[in-house]
Amino acid sequence: MRADAQRNRDRLLTVAVDAFTGPDGGDVTLDSIAKQAGVGIGTLYRHFPTREALVEAAYRNELEKLCESAPELLTERTPADALRDWMDHFVDYMTTKRGMADALKAVIASGGNPYEHSRAKLLAALSTLLTAGVADGTLRSDVAVEDVFAGLGGVTMIAGEPAQREQAGRLLDLLLDGLHPR
């Protein structure tokens, strides 16, 4: 993809996430997304031939950004700190996913499956962080990645709204504290 086409696609995805998670998420028009992204409607349709294709691509882009952040965080931070930062990103991702629920339901109703590989990708990213923490001795080796993932899911179920961000942070601190060796 040409650099300008990639920039247009990236802008469209960023604007789409904001639009679909906003108060008018279910009613936002593709034309308004194109205008806000600074492109014509034809450009939007070249990248995403249907509304559902745009919604699915926006969701998958958020998932990829979260999963790709794991190894990046490990280059900048200790494994335990990288894990804690990733947990914050996970809560943000889940908040976005929840905000896009109506739009994602439309994708599923049209026969798409935006969640097809989500769990496997998330577990792989989380495993990367946990393995690094075990290797440097800052995280326990006797905890299954699936259990940590379930704990993160629990945090987002209880404190996954933007207004609950402070509580989510405290719960993430508790979860991380339980991952330190005894």
Side-chain angles (χ1 to χ4, degrees), residues 30-141:
L30 296 183
D31 190 49
S32 68
I33 291 172
K35 283 179 184 172
Q36 193 173 357
V39 301
I41 192 70
T43 299
L44 184 147
Y45 281 116
R46 268 192 300 283
H47 289 284
F48 311 104
T50 65
R51 178 185 186 88
E52 290 77 18
L54 176 60
V55 170
E56 187 166 357
Y59 165 75
R60 288 181 187 268
N61 190 56
E62 292 299 297
L63 173 69
E64 291 301 322
K65 285 192 306 189
L66 173 63
C67 293
E68 290 171 2
S69 73
E72 292 169 12
L73 287 167
L74 286 170
T75 66
E76 304 162 1
R77 320 255 306 159
T78 66
D81 289 342
L83 175 60
R84 180 58 178 82
D85 286 350
W86 192 86
M87 290 174 162
D88 275 327
H89 296 317
F90 180 83
V91 170
D92 293 339
Y93 157 79
M94 289 300 289
T95 301
T96 298
K97 180 180 162 185
R98 200 174 279 113
M100 291 180 69
D102 289 340
L104 288 166
K105 285 178 189 172
V107 171
I108 293 166
S110 72
N113 182 3
Y115 310 122
E116 186 175 5
H117 302 288
S118 299
R119 181 178 174 82
K121 288 181 178 193
L122 290 166
L123 287 172
L126 184 54
S127 180
T128 297
L129 294 160
L130 292 173
T131 299
V134 169
D136 84 344
T138 59
L139 299 176
R140 292 169 47 181
S141 62

